[in-house]
Amino acid sequence: MQKIYRLLVLFGCCLSYQAKAQSADTVIFTEIGHHYFDTSVSFLHYSAYTPLFDRLGRDYLYVTTKEAGLITFDISVPSNPLPVDTLTVFEFGNLKPTDVVQNGNYLYVSIGDFEGLFPQRAGMAIVNVQNPLAPVITDRWDSTAFNQGTAAVLYDNGYAYLGAMERGVLILDVANPANIVFKSQFIPDPFFGNPFNDPNARGLAIRNDSLYVAYDAGGLRVLDVTNKTNVSEIGMYRSPGIVSAAYPYYNNVSLVGNHAYVAVDFCGVDVIDVSNVANMQSVAWLNPWNCLKDTILNTNTWSGSNGHTNQIHFVPGDSIFFVSGGDTELLAVDGDNPAQPAVVGSFGVADDSIFGTWGVDYYNNLVAVTLIRFPFTGPITPFFTRQGGIRLLSWTHPLG
């Protein structure tokens, strides 16, 4: 059984945060362009999930959109991003693309919807984008043995790691882009964490041979993946402070030095000392929305919360994090002092019932956010948004 709201969707994805007065150390976002999906025809009410700027510096943005496939946007004119190619769901074996990363001329695309009543089988495709205008799928892998979809993909040194929700982490040998080889599956301890919801492998980060897994209701886990066919769990963590206030769901993780910054759904950002993964320690908790739990109903303030974090990316030169966020779309979090994280910038209008963000990516002076469409509200839904698509922003960080 997934989270309580798995009956419909797992939109642990979005945060709402009212814009704050600009300070001397503030990140300022400015929209410069957008592309909205058509809403005049019901079957074109698509959502966008993960954005990825081309890491070879070319003027393209790749976006997973589930129902609409993998779309390539030409962003040579940022004020007018144009879709120039689409790899359809049919081309992915009727599995919906959810996440994407890049290494050289290759994209690694996780496939298999992980939301709703009927999640798909987990899988991954490798896409050659040597010519971004004509991407080619070089190989595709999936398996009915892993039937809860794929939430995340990570590439490292010839291997791909998939966050396969309840089915844990899958490891694939992708040294040959034309021949994906399954290596192993590992399910972290499912009994450590929130007793009311099953854990799901949602977000991934790696350093050397230590794989960090944002394990949803199961907290943050660390796996030793030195031996790809004999993985072991070497660290388990849930914040005592958050657990005392709510039932936390760990959605994504970013590593900086000896610290992990974790997007914790409706409970903001958890900063963790990971210098000793066998004994990880809480450093700070950024909690903008006063997340709470109802110990009588075994539920929490997830539904109707003003914020839900999902994707998080570190900007090294500025020591800030970009965090995707629902109706507010985007937050900038100061990470200069791990013990004192703070919101130093935001973009979007809170609770506007129009825009809600799932994903974020940045490259140089551009930030992309992806918009999901969530057209109804209720006791097991997070928020209401009507428009899918992408927005391109510029950003500045005048230091105080």
Side-chain angles (χ1 to χ4, degrees), residues 70 87 92 105-109 125-129 135-138:
L70 176 71
L87 290 175
F92 288 115
N105 278 317
Y106 293 99
L107 303 181
Y108 301 83
V109 183
I126 300 177
V127 179
N128 188 329
V129 289
V136 176
I137 297 177
T138 62

Side-chain angles (χ1 to χ4, degrees), residues 150-179:
T150 317
V153 60
L154 176 68
Y155 172 88
D156 182 66
N157 197 28
Y159 290 93
Y161 301 86
L162 302 181
M165 299 297 285
E166 283 185 35
R167 301 298 176 252
V169 174
L170 309 180
I171 303 178
L172 307 176
D173 184 337
V174 294
N176 180 354
N179 184 31

Side-chain angles (χ1 to χ4, degrees), residues 36-57:
Y36 300 148
F37 297 145
D38 191 356
T39 58
S40 62
V41 182
S42 61
F43 63 84
L44 293 180
H45 287 185
Y46 298 133
S47 293
Y49 282 79
T50 299
L52 177 71
F53 287 105
D54 185 273
R55 287 308 195 258
L56 297 180

Side-chain angles (χ1 to χ4, degrees), residues 359-381:
V360 60
D361 191 30
Y362 80 95
Y363 193 76
N364 294 331
N365 66 328
L366 287 179
V367 176
V369 292
T370 47
L371 307 175
I372 58 174
R373 183 174 182 269
F374 201 47
F376 55 91
T377 58
I380 55 174
T381 57

Side-chain angles (χ1 to χ4, degrees), residues 84-96:
V84 292
D85 185 87
T86 299
L87 290 175
T88 65
V89 173
F90 176 78
E91 293 174 275
F92 288 115
N94 292 318
L95 299 177
K96 300 174 184 179

Side-chain angles (χ1 to χ4, degrees), residues 21-43:
Q22 302 297 326
S23 67
D25 185 10
T26 301
V27 175
I28 301 171
F29 298 105
T30 304
E31 180 175 351
I32 55 178
H34 62 259
H35 179 91
Y36 300 148
F37 297 145
D38 191 356
T39 58
S40 62
V41 182
S42 61
F43 63 84

